[in-house]
Amino acid sequence: MNGERGLTKYLALLVVIAIGVTAGNLLSTWITMKVVEHQMEQALVGISNEVTTQMNKVQRETSVLRAKARAESEALESRRRQQRLADKTGAALARACEEWQRAHEEFKSYTSETESAKHCGRLERYLTTGAVPRR
């Protein structure tokens, strides 16, 4: 009997040790998993912040480039308009527009109004597109 009691004690002690080791291993694995999870979250936050910073930088640079391109385009268009206004066709169209505007100021008639609009529209189309209007 004494021998059986000793064996039972050892078996109980073995079971307690096995449960303790298993619980310790599970707890250690869970703690390690939580630490790694926290590190991954911190890394993701860092990466997200860096991506946001880079995207903001790209957006600012894109805005600057768009503004420069818009300014260059407007300057080019202005030069083209001035060149077209100074050439033979542009000068003739401008003269006709001015004459009809003066006529409309003087007579205030339907004809002077429509002819003024027509000739000034031709001038504007020529200055904008460079297309020579039909007569």
Side-chain angles (χ1 to χ4, degrees), residues 6-23:
L7 184 59
T8 305
K9 278 178 156 179
Y10 286 121
L11 283 175
L13 186 59
L14 178 65
V15 169
V16 168
I17 291 172
I19 290 172
V21 168
T22 302

Side-chain angles (χ1 to χ4, degrees), residues 34-45:
K34 287 298 182 182
V35 168
V36 169
E37 181 182 333
H38 177 73
Q39 289 172 341
M40 287 178 63
E41 286 174 359
Q42 293 301 312
L44 286 174
V45 166

Side-chain angles (χ1 to χ4, degrees), residues 7-114:
L7 184 59
T8 305
K9 278 178 156 179
Y10 286 121
L11 283 175
L13 186 59
L14 178 65
V15 169
V16 168
I17 291 172
I19 290 172
V21 168
T22 302
N25 284 340
L26 289 174
L27 183 62
S28 170
T29 301
W30 182 80
I31 290 170
T32 302
M33 181 187 70
K34 287 298 182 182
V35 168
V36 169
E37 181 182 333
H38 177 73
Q39 289 172 341
M40 287 178 63
E41 286 174 359
Q42 293 301 312
L44 286 174
V45 166
I47 289 169
S48 175
N49 290 341
E50 182 63 27
V51 166
T52 301
T53 300
Q54 291 299 321
M55 285 180 63
N56 289 339
K57 181 180 175 185
V58 167
Q59 286 176 342
R60 283 191 306 273
E61 290 172 355
T62 301
S63 294
V64 168
L65 291 174
R66 281 187 183 145
K68 283 182 182 178
R70 193 176 313 115
E72 288 174 7
S73 176
E74 289 170 359
L76 178 61
E77 184 59 29
S78 177
R79 283 193 304 273
R80 284 182 182 153
R81 287 178 69 88
Q82 291 301 318
Q83 288 171 347
R84 290 175 183 148
L85 187 59
D87 69 18
K88 184 179 175 182
T89 303
L93 290 169
R95 196 169 34 257
C97 174
E98 288 171 15
E99 289 172 1
W100 278 108
Q101 283 178 330
R102 269 190 261 114
H104 181 58
E105 287 174 14
E106 185 177 339
F107 300 112
K108 303 272 190 240
S109 70
Y110 173 78
T111 301
S112 65
E113 181 180 10
T114 56

